[in-house]
Amino acid sequence: PNSKQGDGKPRLLLMGQRRSGKSSISSVVFHKMPPSETLYLETTTRITKDQMHSFMDFQVWDFPGHLDYFDPAFDVDNIFGEIGALVWVIDAQDEYLDAINRLNTTILNLQQHYPSINVEVFVHKVDGLSEDYKSDTFRDIIQRVQDELSDNGYENAPVSFYQTSIYDHSIFEAFSKVIQKLIPQLPTLESLLNSLCSTCRIEKAYLFDVLSKIYIATDTSPTDIGSYEICSDYIDVIVDISEIYGWDRSNPDAQKTGDSSAQDVSGDSGNDDAESLITMEKKGSNYLYLREINKYLALICIMSEDSPTEKKALVDYNVSIFQEALQKVFQR
Ligand code: GDP
């Protein structure tokens, strides 16, 4: 339902006013730009379509803030007909009343014609704000949107709110939650991860899209940003190593077949013989276990264990079973 192209890939649209941070977000999350370099980005003055080669094809359409996209001359269906989620960026360090008015108008317009689109509001640039001001602003924005919608008789709108910044992990965490809503297999992935965790006494397991560091699923035990951060930092280390030893992620031909990651395991990358990387390492009082599942996905587990070497065989075995199950899930 999220894609009329029939490729089953979730598509995202990134919108918001000029200077709200749209280009920065897509550069940092999808193109590995260091946050401080976004200071020199040109502000967006046109619609840009950004193809993302990853487990899924994210399409980040970066809209200029002033554009009137509900103008009849605009091909609205072309824009909204194919997306699963609209990410709306609000600059929390700036005057935001205009932004909220535009957001409300957009939600009410969308509701009539495209009620299945999730609206995901990023209250952005919260890094510069004090804790008090941050939570007041967040609450104020939620209130203003909800009031306006219920004044218009629109209750229970599919609108969610996140506090984000490109200077910490919050932008990745928010995108993870946005993407997960667009993955129909999510409940199956979660229960596979749950059973892996309980069999091997793993504390937390994440299935990461390696390139974007977005996690597409985790087990259903409580998540904290700390464990996400540990795993995300570990991926940075591993990506460096796997560029030498692991899957060839740079081959453009291999990335055309994105609909089935299972297909990619057999691989058309010309790199079929590559062993998937498996590592286990001590990190503070924990052990981190990482295994590449295919070209795009890696499983990372956090364990606290006294004698991890004995356990590694057990984990290896169960992760293999998990990997097979995962292939079946995506083949269907
Ligand atoms: P766009 O016009 O919506 O594409 O906005 P830009 O991406 O050009 O961002 C405008 C400015 O906001 C740039 O100077 C960015 O460095 C800055 N910016 C973007 N995200 C953040 C953030 O999370 N925190 C802070 N403090 N500044 C940000």
Side-chain angles (χ1 to χ4, degrees):
N2 301 318
S3 168
K4 281 192 184 158
Q5 290 185 318
D7 58 8
K9 292 173 192 169
R11 293 176 65 184
L12 299 181
L13 190 57
L14 202 62
M15 281 178 124
Q17 291 191 307
R18 191 174 264 184
R19 309 292 294 163
S20 58
K22 301 178 296 298
S23 318
S24 308
I25 292 172
S26 67
S27 304
V28 169
V29 176
F30 300 111
H31 301 285
K32 304 250 153 283
M33 181 183 277
S36 55
E37 281 177 26
T38 64
L39 288 170
Y40 312 108
L41 275 178
E42 302 243 331
T43 189
T44 318
T45 49
R46 59 193 178 90
I47 301 172
T48 58
K49 292 191 190 183
D50 195 359
Q51 283 281 353
M52 177 53 197
H53 295 295
S54 155
F55 163 72
M56 287 168 299
D57 240 13
F58 305 103
Q59 286 224 5
V60 181
W61 292 14
D62 200 353
F63 268 75
H66 60 275
L67 212 84
D68 189 6
Y69 43 88
F70 282 111
D71 187 304
F74 225 76
D75 188 355
V76 179
D77 210 40
N78 187 34
I79 304 169
F80 293 107
E82 296 183 345
I83 64 165
L86 171 64
V87 175
W88 190 282
V89 185
I90 295 180
D91 184 346
Q93 293 190 12
D94 199 8
E95 273 296 318
Y96 52 73
L97 292 185
D98 272 359
I100 288 179
N101 287 335
R102 287 188 69 99
L103 169 60
N104 287 335
T105 311
T106 306
I107 297 173
L108 292 169
N109 272 320
L110 280 181
Q111 184 233 342
Q112 289 172 14
H113 304 288
Y114 310 99
S116 62
I117 296 177
N118 300 329
V119 180
E120 314 282 6
V121 183
F122 287 9
V123 177
H124 190 56
K125 308 192 192 177
V126 291
D127 52 276
L129 309 177
S130 72
E131 281 305 316
D132 283 353
Y133 189 80
K134 190 162 104 174
S135 51
D136 286 352
T137 303
F138 192 57
R139 241 175 296 139
D140 187 50
I141 290 174
I142 295 175
Q143 197 64 50
R144 285 173 189 277
V145 174
Q146 283 173 348
D147 286 353
E148 175 79 15
L149 294 180
S150 62
D151 284 354
N152 283 275
Y154 191 22
E155 309 285 348
N156 302 321
V159 184
S160 309
F161 298 85
Y162 310 81
Q163 307 187 51
T164 58
S165 163
I166 55 168
Y167 287 97
D168 56 35
H169 291 87
S170 59
I171 192 71
F172 296 94
E173 174 109 75
F175 261 112
S176 301
K177 292 185 173 144
V178 168
I179 291 298
Q180 284 170 26
K181 290 190 199 165
L182 303 178
I183 300 178
Q185 301 94 338
L186 184 67
T188 314
L189 298 181
E190 285 177 346
S191 70
L192 287 172
L193 288 165
N194 279 347
S195 78
L196 178 69
C197 286
S198 68
T199 314
C200 301
R201 290 206 292 126
I202 290 165
E203 291 187 359
K204 196 74 197 152
Y206 291 95
L207 198 55
F208 265 92
D209 178 64
V210 175
L211 276 186
S212 63
K213 293 197 289 178
I214 286 169
Y215 63 94
I216 69 159
T218 180
D219 64 284
T220 52
S221 73
T223 340
D224 67 295
I225 189 88
S227 53
Y228 170 79
E229 283 172 10
I230 292 172
C231 295
S232 162
D233 291 346
Y234 194 48
I235 281 189
D236 285 335
V237 178
I238 293 308
V239 166
D240 290 345
I241 300 172
S242 71
E243 265 162 18
I244 308 170
Y245 298 108
W247 306 96
D248 180 8
R249 295 189 183 85
S250 60
N251 187 328
D253 289 338
Q255 290 168 345
K256 279 187 203 138
T257 57
D259 60 325
S260 156
S261 54
Q263 218 172 329
D264 294 323
V265 175
S266 59
D268 49 5
S269 66
N271 197 24
D272 296 355
D273 297 335
E275 285 280 306
S276 80
L277 191 70
I278 305 174
T279 62
M280 179 121 123
E281 206 169 284
K282 193 165 167 59
K283 179 94 187 175
S285 56
N286 295 315
Y287 283 89
L288 288 179
Y289 178 95
L290 179 143
R291 171 129 157 199
E292 289 186 310
I293 297 291
N294 60 36
K295 206 160 32 145
Y296 303 126
L297 299 180
L299 173 76
I300 306 192
C301 305
I302 303 180
M303 295 175 277
S304 56
E305 195 65 32
D306 300 331
S307 54
T309 31
E310 282 166 34
K311 189 160 155 187
K312 186 163 181 298
L314 175 75
V315 177
D316 279 342
Y317 175 73
N318 283 285
V319 170
S320 302
I321 293 175
F322 171 81
Q323 189 166 3
E324 280 167 28
L326 203 65
Q327 288 189 21
K328 292 207 184 91
V329 170
F330 287 121
Q331 260 161 7
R332 266 191 242 129

Tab-separated table of all heavy atoms in Angstrom, residues 17-24 38-39 41-44 62 93 124-125 127 164-167, ligand 1:
chain	number	residue	atom	x	y	z
A	17	GLN	N	9.676	23.982	6.202
A	17	GLN	CA	10.008	25.285	5.679
A	17	GLN	C	11.495	25.409	5.375
A	17	GLN	O	12.315	24.610	5.832
A	17	GLN	CB	9.551	26.351	6.662
A	17	GLN	CG	8.035	26.404	6.685
A	17	GLN	CD	7.500	27.585	7.425
A	17	GLN	OE1	7.867	27.814	8.570
A	17	GLN	NE2	6.613	28.331	6.795
A	18	ARG	N	11.779	26.435	4.627
A	18	ARG	CA	13.152	26.736	4.257
A	18	ARG	C	14.015	26.875	5.519
A	18	ARG	O	13.567	27.421	6.516
A	18	ARG	CB	13.136	28.058	3.492
A	18	ARG	CG	14.424	28.380	2.825
A	18	ARG	CD	14.240	29.627	1.980
A	18	ARG	NE	13.952	29.282	0.603
A	18	ARG	CZ	13.824	30.204	-0.356
A	18	ARG	NH1	13.877	31.479	-0.074
A	18	ARG	NH2	13.605	29.819	-1.590
A	19	ARG	N	15.189	26.347	5.480
A	19	ARG	CA	16.152	26.389	6.585
A	19	ARG	C	15.740	25.545	7.795
A	19	ARG	O	16.356	25.649	8.861
A	19	ARG	CB	16.434	27.829	7.076
A	19	ARG	CG	16.812	28.822	6.011
A	19	ARG	CD	18.161	28.556	5.394
A	19	ARG	NE	19.259	28.739	6.339
A	19	ARG	CZ	20.481	28.263	6.131
A	19	ARG	NH1	20.756	27.577	5.033
A	19	ARG	NH2	21.435	28.466	7.013
A	20	SER	N	14.694	24.727	7.649
A	20	SER	CA	14.293	23.923	8.809
A	20	SER	C	15.278	22.771	9.035
A	20	SER	O	15.327	22.219	10.141
A	20	SER	CB	12.876	23.387	8.629
A	20	SER	OG	12.767	22.607	7.460
A	21	GLY	N	16.031	22.405	8.004
A	21	GLY	CA	17.042	21.369	8.206
A	21	GLY	C	16.886	20.141	7.316
A	21	GLY	O	17.528	19.119	7.560
A	22	LYS	N	16.062	20.235	6.277
A	22	LYS	CA	15.764	19.065	5.441
A	22	LYS	C	17.001	18.527	4.721
A	22	LYS	O	17.270	17.322	4.771
A	22	LYS	CB	14.683	19.426	4.400
A	22	LYS	CG	13.384	19.909	5.018
A	22	LYS	CD	12.375	20.285	3.961
A	22	LYS	CE	12.793	21.463	3.084
A	22	LYS	NZ	12.971	22.726	3.830
A	23	SER	N	17.726	19.425	4.060
A	23	SER	CA	18.921	18.950	3.335
A	23	SER	C	19.928	18.358	4.301
A	23	SER	O	20.579	17.353	4.006
A	23	SER	CB	19.609	20.095	2.584
A	23	SER	OG	18.680	20.910	1.968
A	24	SER	N	20.066	19.006	5.452
A	24	SER	CA	21.011	18.507	6.450
A	24	SER	C	20.639	17.102	6.885
A	24	SER	O	21.506	16.226	6.994
A	24	SER	CB	21.020	19.414	7.679
A	24	SER	OG	21.214	20.752	7.304
A	38	THR	N	27.060	20.543	7.471
A	38	THR	CA	25.778	21.007	6.932
A	38	THR	C	25.658	22.518	6.994
A	38	THR	O	24.792	23.103	6.362
A	38	THR	CB	24.586	20.388	7.686
A	38	THR	OG1	24.612	20.844	9.054
A	38	THR	CG2	24.618	18.880	7.640
A	39	LEU	N	26.505	23.143	7.792
A	39	LEU	CA	26.506	24.606	7.864
A	39	LEU	C	26.727	25.223	6.485
A	39	LEU	O	26.292	26.336	6.207
A	39	LEU	CB	27.609	25.084	8.809
A	39	LEU	CG	27.355	24.835	10.289
A	39	LEU	CD1	28.611	25.118	11.094
A	39	LEU	CD2	26.201	25.705	10.777
A	41	LEU	N	25.783	23.827	3.574
A	41	LEU	CA	24.832	23.365	2.561
A	41	LEU	C	24.034	24.533	2.011
A	41	LEU	O	23.669	25.448	2.736
A	41	LEU	CB	23.839	22.374	3.177
A	41	LEU	CG	24.214	20.916	3.280
A	41	LEU	CD1	23.079	20.170	3.982
A	41	LEU	CD2	24.457	20.327	1.914
A	42	GLU	N	23.743	24.470	0.722
A	42	GLU	CA	22.844	25.458	0.139
A	42	GLU	C	21.427	25.098	0.574
A	42	GLU	O	21.061	23.939	0.593
A	42	GLU	CB	22.906	25.369	-1.390
A	42	GLU	CG	24.286	25.572	-1.952
A	42	GLU	CD	24.335	26.804	-2.837
A	42	GLU	OE1	23.292	27.135	-3.416
A	42	GLU	OE2	25.404	27.416	-2.924
A	43	THR	N	20.625	26.100	0.876
A	43	THR	CA	19.256	25.796	1.252
A	43	THR	C	18.508	25.265	0.022
A	43	THR	O	18.847	25.587	-1.113
A	43	THR	CB	18.554	27.032	1.851
A	43	THR	OG1	17.298	26.619	2.377
A	43	THR	CG2	18.331	28.095	0.796
A	44	THR	N	17.507	24.432	0.271
A	44	THR	CA	16.802	23.793	-0.830
A	44	THR	C	15.906	24.789	-1.544
A	44	THR	O	15.091	25.443	-0.919
A	44	THR	CB	15.908	22.668	-0.298
A	44	THR	OG1	16.625	21.970	0.692
A	44	THR	CG2	15.491	21.744	-1.413
A	62	ASP	N	13.101	16.501	-1.286
A	62	ASP	CA	13.392	17.673	-0.486
A	62	ASP	C	12.656	18.862	-1.100
A	62	ASP	O	12.964	19.278	-2.202
A	62	ASP	CB	14.905	17.879	-0.513
A	62	ASP	CG	15.347	18.732	0.631
A	62	ASP	OD1	14.476	19.248	1.348
A	62	ASP	OD2	16.555	18.890	0.799
A	93	GLN	N	14.202	25.908	16.967
A	93	GLN	CA	14.953	27.075	17.437
A	93	GLN	C	14.408	28.360	16.840
A	93	GLN	O	14.905	29.435	17.118
A	93	GLN	CB	16.429	26.925	17.050
A	93	GLN	CG	17.126	25.788	17.772
A	93	GLN	CD	18.622	25.823	17.545
A	93	GLN	OE1	19.178	26.792	17.045
A	93	GLN	NE2	19.291	24.746	17.938
A	124	HIS	N	12.751	19.678	15.251
A	124	HIS	CA	14.155	19.510	14.906
A	124	HIS	C	15.054	20.608	15.483
A	124	HIS	O	14.575	21.652	15.880
A	124	HIS	CB	14.265	19.476	13.363
A	124	HIS	CG	15.610	19.077	12.855
A	124	HIS	ND1	16.229	17.895	13.212
A	124	HIS	CD2	16.467	19.704	12.007
A	124	HIS	CE1	17.402	17.818	12.608
A	124	HIS	NE2	17.591	18.905	11.881
A	125	LYS	N	16.342	20.345	15.523
A	125	LYS	CA	17.383	21.223	16.079
A	125	LYS	C	17.225	21.413	17.586
A	125	LYS	O	17.506	22.488	18.111
A	125	LYS	CB	17.392	22.606	15.396
A	125	LYS	CG	17.462	22.580	13.870
A	125	LYS	CD	17.761	23.950	13.298
A	125	LYS	CE	17.540	24.008	11.802
A	125	LYS	NZ	17.763	25.330	11.224
A	127	ASP	N	18.998	20.280	19.786
A	127	ASP	CA	20.300	20.294	20.471
A	127	ASP	C	20.628	21.634	21.098
A	127	ASP	O	21.315	21.709	22.096
A	127	ASP	CB	21.418	19.896	19.487
A	127	ASP	CG	21.384	20.720	18.212
A	127	ASP	OD1	20.618	20.356	17.293
A	127	ASP	OD2	22.092	21.727	18.127
A	164	THR	N	14.280	15.781	17.402
A	164	THR	CA	15.447	15.334	16.630
A	164	THR	C	16.548	16.377	16.554
A	164	THR	O	16.324	17.574	16.728
A	164	THR	CB	15.043	14.969	15.183
A	164	THR	OG1	14.449	16.104	14.564
A	164	THR	CG2	14.096	13.803	15.134
A	165	SER	N	17.749	15.871	16.298
A	165	SER	CA	18.910	16.713	16.040
A	165	SER	C	19.882	15.907	15.197
A	165	SER	O	20.002	14.691	15.375
A	165	SER	CB	19.568	17.106	17.360
A	165	SER	OG	20.882	17.572	17.111
A	166	ILE	N	20.584	16.583	14.299
A	166	ILE	CA	21.607	15.864	13.525
A	166	ILE	C	22.895	15.715	14.321
A	166	ILE	O	23.810	15.034	13.900
A	166	ILE	CB	21.929	16.560	12.169
A	166	ILE	CG1	22.322	18.020	12.381
A	166	ILE	CG2	20.765	16.428	11.202
A	166	ILE	CD1	22.914	18.683	11.145
A	167	TYR	N	22.967	16.377	15.480
A	167	TYR	CA	24.202	16.325	16.272
A	167	TYR	C	24.250	15.163	17.260
A	167	TYR	O	25.215	15.021	17.997
A	167	TYR	CB	24.437	17.653	16.988
A	167	TYR	CG	24.865	18.733	16.012
A	167	TYR	CD1	23.936	19.637	15.497
A	167	TYR	CD2	26.180	18.824	15.562
A	167	TYR	CE1	24.307	20.611	14.574
A	167	TYR	CE2	26.567	19.779	14.650
A	167	TYR	CZ	25.635	20.671	14.161
A	167	TYR	OH	26.010	21.611	13.245
B	1	GDP	P1	16.641	23.245	4.392
B	1	GDP	O1	16.472	24.560	3.731
B	1	GDP	O2	15.390	22.794	5.076
B	1	GDP	O3	17.182	22.164	3.493
B	1	GDP	O4	17.677	23.470	5.596
B	1	GDP	P2	19.242	23.134	5.657
B	1	GDP	O5	19.455	21.668	5.650
B	1	GDP	O6	19.935	23.939	4.617
B	1	GDP	O7	19.631	23.645	7.133
B	1	GDP	C1	19.624	24.983	7.497
B	1	GDP	C2	20.589	25.189	8.646
B	1	GDP	O8	20.183	24.459	9.791
B	1	GDP	C3	22.017	24.735	8.340
B	1	GDP	O9	22.898	25.758	8.734
B	1	GDP	C4	22.224	23.510	9.207
B	1	GDP	O10	23.564	23.366	9.661
B	1	GDP	C5	21.287	23.787	10.370
B	1	GDP	N1	20.810	22.539	11.015
B	1	GDP	C6	20.246	21.458	10.421
B	1	GDP	N2	19.940	20.503	11.314
B	1	GDP	C7	20.327	20.974	12.528
B	1	GDP	C8	20.284	20.451	13.882
B	1	GDP	O11	19.828	19.343	14.169
B	1	GDP	N3	20.760	21.274	14.872
B	1	GDP	C9	21.277	22.502	14.610
B	1	GDP	N4	21.733	23.207	15.653
B	1	GDP	N5	21.345	23.016	13.372
B	1	GDP	C10	20.888	22.282	12.338
